[in-house]
Amino acid sequence: SQQGEEDPQALSIQEGENATMNCSYKTSINNLQWYRQNSGRGLVHLILIRSNEREKHSGRLRVTLDTSKKSSSLLITASRAADTASYFCATQRPGNTGKLIFGQGTTLQVKP
Amino acid sequence: GAGVSQTPSNKVTEKGKYVELRCDPISGHTALYWYRQSLGQGPEFLIYFQGTGAADDSGLPNDRFFAVRPEGSVSTLKIQRTERGDSAVYLCASSLQASPTYEQYFGPGTRLTVT
């Protein structure tokens, strides 16, 4: 079963604009991660935020985590056409050293 | 260095047949994970190995699915008596150890189509 739910399911923006995707989850977590997937194949790890962290940055990416609301957001600033992809959040639960529980994903289209 | 590789990249089989999907993890990675992704959905956990042993197989949907990793490196996911509902992309990932400290690196996946 899926733990996370992302919204929106689909997002279309112009190049240069910012894109914000949200993720909600149900149970307590050790960490939350964001992945990008192009063309329905391999996943690329973008960023990991631990449960005791509130915000993290990596290049044009900014991730926030609110454990009281069980939610996270991914912000991509100054988007590029190459950012077009599906984005997934995934959680790892405390004591569970292996599996990632993924959300349904947000499909982002960045128009040139 | 080489990433996670999966073979075949595409597999078409008839309902009722047996299939094997192979995953070659990154050299030195002791943890290996299998996920399944249906069209329009997020990946769904199937099983993971720490070394040769299956540490958590709670995601395997039924006893038609089985996975092995006999030497702690290459893993094979085996599906017996395939059904059309098994059609999906099967993703493999590996990490240095099975711990939230270590990132999981994903392979390109095997697209399985059961006709």
Side-chain angles (χ1 to χ4, degrees), chain B residues 5-22:
Chain B
S5 63
Q6 293 185 247
T7 53
S9 56
N10 287 284
K11 176 71 177 178
V12 180
T13 191
E14 292 180 348
K15 180 175 177 298
K17 299 288 188 184
Y18 168 83
V19 295
E20 289 189 352
L21 311 179
R22 176 186 167 113

Side-chain angles (χ1 to χ4, degrees), chain B residues 33 36 41 73 75 82 95:
Chain B
Y33 310 81
R36 176 170 74 171
Q41 303 292 315
S73 179
S75 176
T82 51
S95 67

